[in-house]
Amino acid sequence: MKWWPELIDEISLKPPALHFLFGPRQVGKTTLLKLLVKKLVEGGRDPRTIFYYTCEMAADHRELGEVLGEIVKLKKRWGVSSALVLLDEVTYPREWYRALKFYLDQGHFQNDVIIATGSVSMYAKREVETFPGRRGWGRDYVMYPLSFKKFAEVQGVPPGADPTAWRTELAEALELYLKCGGYPAAVVNCATSGNPGGAADVVISSLAFDLARLKRSEAYAKRLLKAVLETAPSPVSLNALAKEAELRSHKIAFSYLNLLESLYLLRQLYYIDPYRLVEDYKKPRKIHLLDPLVYQAAAKWTGAKIPHEAALLEATVAMHFARSHRVGYWRDGFEVDVVVPELGLGIEVKWGKKAGMKRVGQIVAKTLDLEELAQLLYQL
């Protein structure tokens, strides 16, 4: 099985730059860095201009500072004028940003590109915001689990295939995707055994780790996720969610929903007025988890049941569009499960055959079945 992360070709190597690569744990950020090194070296770049360090080895900002100091010394010794510095899992050392800011302020990396990866906890803690004016051409990149398109290619659908000609294979791949998801470990297990294996346990342990680092209640997060599973895919108000989760108030539900969203584990879809194409935040919201594997992990962690396949299919469609578009929903007797305002598109997700189309305001709502949705997702 070959996997080439699309982000490799998107990350700019124009110096100076401090890039941050976010993403849930276990989505392949370390693999991406190593493949980037392989690509550059095979393309003729001098290996001595590339520095890789896994920050899990450093306890705090002092130890990380010692490593950065050694990189500076090696650059001088080898006459490196412009380097690529890869700091993997940079959030592990306590107060990691202090070391990085010090060396940036000293001008030691003014001709270099730094790519720092970490869990989205550093985004949730707003640590990235401590680098104003120090990032040059740097950007924030988000790495998601494999998209359905990449998953289908792993399953044997050739890149650039005509979706109509491969509709049967794509539908079969989508059914498997709903069981396995796009986390690399789950994809590997699916390729060999048809199921994600123990990949869900890794998602659970990673979530517990992030909650502990952020000093947030594991019990509240667990109750909230259980309530999300038990109400999916129906719209739910904060008050109803708090009651379902047995939380003291809707404010706690709101806080933990936003926390889990900042950890890229779920997405809240708000009601969108199809005539004005704006969100109404007072109405109930739909809540979808990031990936089918996250549903399995949440169910195992909370003791709740995994939602039915149609709900997983709706979540998969919504989350795929949400990677690059503003997404919501609409309902008023007739429900549009996924609304993409900038495309003027609405989708009613159906597992079985039930064709249909309806215009609501500025939205053209289409009813699509599994086979049609597989073709649509493959083209995203």
Side-chain angles (χ1 to χ4, degrees):
M1 183 188 77
K2 293 184 178 180
W3 170 58
W4 187 260
E6 296 163 296
L7 269 180
I8 287 182
D9 301 316
E10 296 179 21
I11 297 176
S12 171
L13 298 182
K14 178 181 179 180
L18 170 58
H19 299 303
F20 287 108
L21 175 59
F22 304 110
R25 298 184 190 277
Q26 306 300 316
V27 293
K29 298 186 294 294
T30 299
T31 301
L32 182 148
L33 294 184
K34 293 179 179 179
L35 288 174
L36 176 60
V37 172
K38 182 175 185 290
K39 171 188 174 183
L40 294 174
V41 172
E42 290 181 349
R45 179 157 180 164
D46 185 347
R48 292 183 300 177
T49 67
I50 302 174
F51 299 87
Y52 172 89
Y53 180 69
T54 176
C55 300
E56 295 171 308
M57 306 293 291
D60 55 26
H61 66 92
R62 295 181 181 84
E63 292 187 9
L64 178 59
E66 291 175 3
V67 172
L68 295 176
E70 288 301 315
I71 292 175
V72 170
K73 290 178 183 177
L74 288 173
K75 283 176 53 187
K76 291 180 179 178
R77 184 184 306 168
W78 294 336
V80 175
S81 59
S82 181
L84 173 63
V85 180
L86 307 174
L87 301 175
D88 200 9
E89 295 295 354
V90 74
T91 54
Y92 268 82
R94 291 186 300 276
E95 299 182 309
W96 59 273
Y97 46 88
R98 292 179 58 182
L100 191 52
K101 282 199 294 185
F102 174 81
Y103 278 91
L104 288 171
D105 289 344
Q106 294 297 312
H108 292 299
F109 298 112
Q110 60 185 352
N111 295 316
D112 303 329
V113 173
I114 301 174
I115 302 176
T117 78
S119 75
V120 287
S121 63
M122 70 174 171
Y123 180 72
K125 292 169 72 174
R126 307 184 77 171
E127 292 171 335
V128 171
E129 297 177 13
T130 63
F131 291 91
R134 299 177 174 92
R135 299 191 56 184
W137 297 99
R139 285 182 50 196
D140 294 340
Y141 295 93
V142 179
M143 189 171 185
Y144 294 100
L146 266 70
S147 65
F148 170 66
K149 179 179 181 179
K150 287 296 181 182
F151 182 88
E153 291 173 359
V154 169
Q155 296 301 316
V157 176
D162 177 0
T164 304
W166 287 78
R167 60 182 181 276
T168 301
E169 291 83 359
L170 288 172
E172 291 173 353
L174 183 53
E175 287 195 66
L176 186 59
Y177 187 82
L178 296 179
K179 295 178 181 178
C180 298
Y183 280 72
V187 175
V188 171
N189 291 336
C190 269
T192 56
S193 63
N195 65 72
D201 293 329
V202 178
V203 175
I204 295 171
S205 61
S206 297
L207 172 57
F209 180 82
D210 281 334
L211 289 170
R213 285 178 67 90
L214 294 168
K215 295 181 172 59
R216 303 299 290 271
S217 169
E218 186 174 311
Y220 281 176
K222 185 177 291 189
R223 288 185 207 169
L224 186 69
L225 277 176
K226 183 178 182 181
V228 168
L229 291 179
E230 292 176 342
T231 57
S234 301
V236 60
S237 69
L238 287 176
N239 283 325
L241 194 65
K243 183 177 180 180
E244 183 73 28
E246 298 181 350
L247 300 174
R248 290 196 303 271
S249 74
H250 70 280
K251 293 182 180 179
I252 297 177
F254 177 79
S255 173
Y256 275 81
L257 271 180
N258 288 340
L259 170 66
L260 294 174
E261 189 166 43
S262 71
L263 292 175
Y264 287 85
L265 287 175
L266 58 78
R267 177 66 68 94
Q268 301 174 71
L269 268 63
Y270 299 97
Y271 176 98
I272 288 184
D273 184 323
Y275 299 93
R276 297 184 299 127
L277 302 183
V278 295
E279 288 87 348
D280 186 338
Y281 298 105
K282 294 181 181 179
K283 290 185 179 292
R285 64 201 65 194
K286 286 197 172 194
I287 303 168
H288 295 305
L289 301 190
L290 172 70
D291 182 88
L293 183 70
V294 179
Y295 276 98
Q296 294 191 35
K300 186 173 183 178
W301 193 46
T302 65
K305 291 183 179 179
I306 299 175
H308 52 80
E309 289 179 319
L312 295 180
L313 180 59
E314 179 183 330
T316 298
V317 173
M319 295 305 290
H320 270 64
F321 274 103
R323 295 185 182 194
S324 56
H325 297 83
R326 183 166 59 98
V327 177
Y329 80 96
W330 178 81
R331 73 184 310 184
D332 186 11
F334 173 79
E335 182 166 333
V336 182
D337 299 317
V338 181
V339 173
V340 189
E342 64 190 85
L343 301 180
L345 175 66
I347 300 171
E348 183 185 9
V349 175
K350 293 294 181 184
W351 187 268
K353 292 280 185 183
K354 189 180 178 181
M357 183 180 296
K358 182 178 180 179
R359 175 173 286 278
V360 185
Q362 299 185 56
I363 299 296
V364 175
K366 302 177 181 179
T367 301
L368 303 178
D369 62 23
L370 175 74
E371 190 173 279
E372 294 166 326
L373 288 168
Q375 295 176 59
L376 175 64
L377 291 178
Y378 182 72
Q379 296 176 78
L380 289 182

